[in-house]
């Protein structure tokens, strides 16, 4: 997606959040807007921890 699209979408969603009466909906919309504003990187996913140890991608359990 294009950066300008993400910027405009975040603005639209923040506008909707401002109008929301329900605090739950407002929080969800603000979280969604933050996702559109954030950088898209390959490192956005963090490794899962199992039993205090980091699980590699090829382990099952």
């Amino acid at each position: 997606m294009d950066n300008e699209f993400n910027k405009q979408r975040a603005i639209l969603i923040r506008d909707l959040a401002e109008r929301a009466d329900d605090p739950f909906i407002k929080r969800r919309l603000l979280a969604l807007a933050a996702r559109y504003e954030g950088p898209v990187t390959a490192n956005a996913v963090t490794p899962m921890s199992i039993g205090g140890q980091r699980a590699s991608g090829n382990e099952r359990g």
Side-chain angles (χ1 to χ4, degrees), residues 7-49:
K7 183 179 174 182
Q8 292 300 319
R9 187 61 53 159
I11 291 169
L12 174 69
I13 293 169
R14 285 194 181 279
D15 183 51
L16 289 172
E18 287 178 18
R19 297 184 213 176
D21 292 328
D22 187 330
F24 176 76
I25 299 298
K26 184 175 233 167
R27 282 193 309 270
R28 294 287 305 259
L29 288 169
L30 291 173
L32 180 60
R35 290 183 69 183
Y36 276 103
E37 291 172 336
V40 177
T41 63
N43 295 331
V45 177
T46 57
M48 185 171 64
S49 175

